[in-house]
Amino acid sequence: MCGIVGYYGNKEAYPIIIKGLKRLEYRGYDSAGIALMNHSVRVYKCKGKVSELEEITKDKDISGNIGLGHTRWATHGEPSNVNAHPHVSMNSLFVVIHNGIIENYNRLRTELEAEDYIFKSETDTEVLANLIEYVYIKLNISPDEAVRIALTKVIGAYGILVVCNEHPDTIIAARKGSPLVIGKGHGEYFFASDATPIIEYTNSVIYLNDNDIAIVNKKGLHIRDIRNIEQTVKVQKIDIEIDAIEKGGFDHYMLKEIFEQPKAITDTCRGRLNYYDKTLKLGGLHQVIDALTKTERIIIVACGTSWHAGLVGEFLFEEFARIPVEVEYASEFRYRNPIINPGDVVIAISQSGETADTLAAIQLAKEHRALVLGICNVVGSSIPRETDAGVYTHAGPEIGVASTKAFTAQVTVLTMMAMLTGAKNKALTDKEHNALIDELALIPEKINSILAKAEEIKKIAEIYKDATNALYLGRGYLYPVALEGALKLKEISYIHAEGYPAAEMKHGPIALIDEKMPVIVLATVDKSYEKVVNNIQEVKARKGIVIAIVTEGDTTIRTMADHVIEVPYSDFALAPLLTVIPLQLLSYYIAVMRGCNVDQPRNLAKSVTVE
Ligand code: M6R
């Protein structure tokens, strides 16, 4: 949450920072600000989006070859001009932008107030700016040393960029718990919360580690840690095409990402599944596959959509590998003293790789000596670096706040992991394994055929765009899909929606059903099909409206439901990969028709780096 961008070099910093902030707006968009340096610092900031910042800087001096920019997702203090970043210390010596939370900010603020510091904002970041300044003046040290010493007093998470008015040729960057990437160009450096603002200038990047402090000045880049120990600068090459972060002719990133799913799944399987000789390899698990095969328990930890993928993973591992699985909200798991044994395997799933609760769950699992694996989309993010081993989803950058292609790519990886484990421990026969490979090979094409029904789904959206409530029902593998469909609808269209196991409806939610209530039923062919048909009858008997997702050629449900959306037949274990697609499109079109900001829904941010 919050996006930070910085530039140090010979070019004008303003356009680079503004462009970078727009790329990071998915991380937060309630206020924006910029600081520009030549001989001294100028700060401009306002409530609202980066476009509003551009408006207020139209007639201002925006020159400078060094600068910092910020797009905010509010934690401490409401969105307002004064709470927007950058924050300037009381004597105007330091300017700070920050992503994260300073947990002990209240105590630090009281201590600084006792030293006559006066605060303008309600933010924890202003406390940090003043703390750095206080240390700098009191100890009469360099700005980077002041940052280092100030950070030793801080509890919490931060990714920060700092400049000092008395040393206008230096940028100081530091991180702990919040991401920060530095791009290295020719005589220039780019700083950002993730690589997307950097890739059009350079593909050489340095990922800061927790407790690193980077100093960029005329001498180049140096990294020390918070104990003042020099660190090696490790430059890595990243491989993201600029097209992957543009909208590519689509109205919204979300729609583009929905339509990218056939490619995302193909890319996720590439080099791993060999359809010709029916082999499956996951290089990232090579060292740990024996432990995974022999474990007596898998615990999956994740949040939001990734948690829903984890629920599908539970079915997959239990069915293919016969290993018991528990799926936990990372935020609950980290605080409830869970029983974790040394032989347990904990799988953390995350698109961003930066979710604070998931990272904390990983730490806890490591403390209990579990083997911790990651399933992650963002290469080089914190979760892959914190886990013992793992598998990347290769879905490409996901920028829309509502997760779509990350979900199907995560389920694809979980399917492959469960198949690999089941094949090794012989819970899955060769015949079953090979049949699944063939089925998986067909999924991208089947998704394409569902995407071709977008106009049909749009017409259904038009009818229900004014609904105030919706219920999503599914059984077995399709219960997590019901949860995911409900989450998609509520997060982007603000319609209240609930997902339920279909058979649970009669234990409560059935009371909600009336002639205005759309009930979206996942009813593709499997062993529970007849039961789900009964659930549809129960809804219809109470005058509810049924939108059913059915297998192609289903004639039974067509006679009962108000609308049917057909998806191709697949093995039931792979049905989540198909049935979720119409739900994503339905939510998307409803949200657009309601005039909602689909890519940046209110109150949300893409990467939840605070707990
Ligand atoms: O980056 P992560 O997968 O760890 O993010 C987890 C959730 O914050 C995320 O899935 C969130 O629920 C999305 N807005 C769902 O669309």
Side-chain angles (χ1 to χ4, degrees), residues 303-306 349-353 355 358 401-403 410 487-488 491 606 608:
C303 302
T305 289
S306 299
I349 308 176
S350 174
Q351 187 287 129
S352 63
T355 301
T358 310
V401 165
S403 201
Q410 288 163 347
L487 176 62
K488 286 292 87 87
E491 71 179 330
K606 180 75 182 159
V608 185

Side-chain angles (χ1 to χ4, degrees), residues 513-517 519 539-546 562:
I513 290 170
D514 62 17
E515 63 282 2
K516 293 197 206 101
M517 171 80 132
V519 183
V539 175
K540 288 312 299 173
R542 283 151 188 90
K543 299 194 171 25
I545 301 154
V546 171
D562 298 82

Side-chain angles (χ1 to χ4, degrees), residues 18-191:
I18 291 290
K19 197 169 186 187
L21 288 179
K22 286 186 176 166
R23 295 217 188 279
L24 289 186
E25 256 190 331
Y26 70 87
R27 301 178 69 91
Y29 29 84
D30 61 45
S31 53
I34 192 164
L36 296 158
M37 308 271 280
N38 32 38
H39 302 298
S40 61
V41 190
R42 279 144 294 127
V43 172
Y44 308 111
K45 56 184 187 171
C46 61
K47 181 178 169 188
K49 297 197 166 203
V50 178
S51 53
E52 282 157 75
L53 177 66
E54 282 182 289
E55 244 347 273
I56 66 154
T57 48
K58 258 187 182 154
D59 52 355
K60 300 282 190 314
D61 175 7
I62 51 167
S63 62
N65 307 124
I66 298 177
L68 321 174
H70 189 270
T71 177
R72 179 170 185 246
W73 186 86
T75 57
H76 295 63
E78 60 170 10
S80 67
N81 292 349
V82 76
N83 286 334
H85 297 215
H87 285 280
V88 182
S89 61
M90 191 178 76
N91 300 300
S92 304
L93 291 181
F94 284 87
V95 178
V96 179
I97 55 173
H98 168 217
N99 166 29
I101 287 185
I102 309 296
E103 287 168 15
N104 59 339
Y105 83 106
N106 235 332
R107 187 171 58 74
L108 293 171
R109 183 175 171 138
T110 310
E111 285 171 14
L112 287 164
E113 279 167 344
E115 299 289 337
D116 298 329
Y117 265 86
I118 296 166
F119 289 82
K120 296 189 276 284
S121 78
E122 300 150 83
T123 65
D124 50 344
T125 308
E126 192 188 6
V127 175
L128 185 56
N130 280 334
L131 179 63
I132 295 169
E133 183 183 271
Y134 173 74
V135 172
Y136 175 76
I137 295 171
K138 181 112 179 146
L139 302 181
N140 190 19
I141 48 180
S142 65
D144 51 285
E145 190 55 3
V147 170
R148 188 184 73 76
I149 291 174
L151 290 177
T152 60
K153 301 182 189 314
V154 158
I155 300 170
Y158 52 80
I160 55 168
L161 295 181
V162 183
V163 287
C164 174
N165 241 325
E166 292 186 339
H167 297 262
D169 61 342
T170 304
I171 289 188
I172 303 153
R175 77 154 273 180
K176 183 183 175 198
S178 299
L180 202 47
V181 189
I182 302 176
K184 189 174 184 299
H186 296 292
E188 58 185 354
Y189 292 89
F190 305 84
F191 303 79

Side-chain angles (χ1 to χ4, degrees), residues 418-464:
M419 285 167 63
L420 191 67
T421 314
K424 286 232 181 279
N425 72 8
K426 303 284 179 216
L428 203 59
T429 64
D430 286 350
K431 195 172 162 210
E432 288 165 333
H433 176 264
N434 296 350
L436 278 165
I437 289 189
D438 289 342
E439 280 280 321
L440 208 44
L442 297 173
I443 291 293
E445 217 22 67
K446 289 181 181 177
I447 294 180
N448 270 327
S449 76
I450 303 169
L451 294 171
K453 296 180 201 281
E455 283 304 314
E456 186 188 317
I457 296 168
K458 197 171 179 179
K459 287 188 187 129
I460 301 174
E462 179 69 49
I463 302 170
Y464 299 106

Side-chain angles (χ1 to χ4, degrees), residues 4 34 169 178 225 239 251 288 291 299 304 330 332 375 382 388 392 398 438 443 450 489:
I4 64 182
I34 192 164
D169 61 342
S178 299
D225 72 6
D239 179 23
D251 288 343
V288 296
I299 304 169
E332 289 293 315
I375 298 176
S382 299
D388 298 310
Y392 277 118
E398 190 183 67
D438 289 342
I443 291 293
I450 303 169
L489 188 69

Side-chain angles (χ1 to χ4, degrees), residues 341-532:
N341 299 315
D344 288 344
V345 174
V346 172
I347 304 176
I349 308 176
S350 174
Q351 187 287 129
S352 63
E354 301 294 349
T355 301
D357 285 320
T358 310
L359 274 163
I362 289 170
Q363 289 311 334
L364 185 68
K366 281 166 84 173
E367 281 160 26
H368 287 77
R369 292 186 292 122
L371 173 69
V372 186
L373 310 180
I375 298 176
C376 210
N377 195 40
V378 178
V379 175
S381 57
S382 299
I383 289 177
R385 291 186 300 138
E386 290 296 319
T387 42
D388 298 310
V391 183
Y392 277 118
T393 50
H394 292 304
E398 190 183 67
I399 292 169
V401 165
S403 201
T404 51
K405 62 177 180 172
F407 174 79
T408 42
Q410 288 163 347
V411 171
T412 302
V413 166
L414 285 160
T415 307
M416 291 192 285
M417 282 175 76
M419 285 167 63
L420 191 67
T421 314
K424 286 232 181 279
N425 72 8
K426 303 284 179 216
L428 203 59
T429 64
D430 286 350
K431 195 172 162 210
E432 288 165 333
H433 176 264
N434 296 350
L436 278 165
I437 289 189
D438 289 342
E439 280 280 321
L440 208 44
L442 297 173
I443 291 293
E445 217 22 67
K446 289 181 181 177
I447 294 180
N448 270 327
S449 76
I450 303 169
L451 294 171
K453 296 180 201 281
E455 283 304 314
E456 186 188 317
I457 296 168
K458 197 171 179 179
K459 287 188 187 129
I460 301 174
E462 179 69 49
I463 302 170
Y464 299 106
K465 66 179 190 306
D466 297 319
T468 48
N469 293 289
L471 189 60
Y472 287 72
L473 302 176
R475 288 187 84 127
Y477 281 98
L478 299 187
Y479 160 54
V481 178
L483 293 176
E484 176 59 9
L487 176 62
K488 286 292 87 87
L489 188 69
K490 61 189 147 195
E491 71 179 330
I492 59 168
S493 73
Y494 319 139
I495 294 173
H496 172 246
E498 296 208 37
Y500 255 89
E504 276 295 300
M505 180 181 66
K506 58 187 169 296
H507 298 288
I510 199 163
L512 294 169
I513 290 170
D514 62 17
E515 63 282 2
K516 293 197 206 101
M517 171 80 132
V519 183
I520 297 91
V521 188
L522 295 148
T524 52
V525 172
D526 93 308
K527 57 181 187 249
S528 312
Y529 176 77
E530 298 299 337
K531 314 264 180 224
V532 177

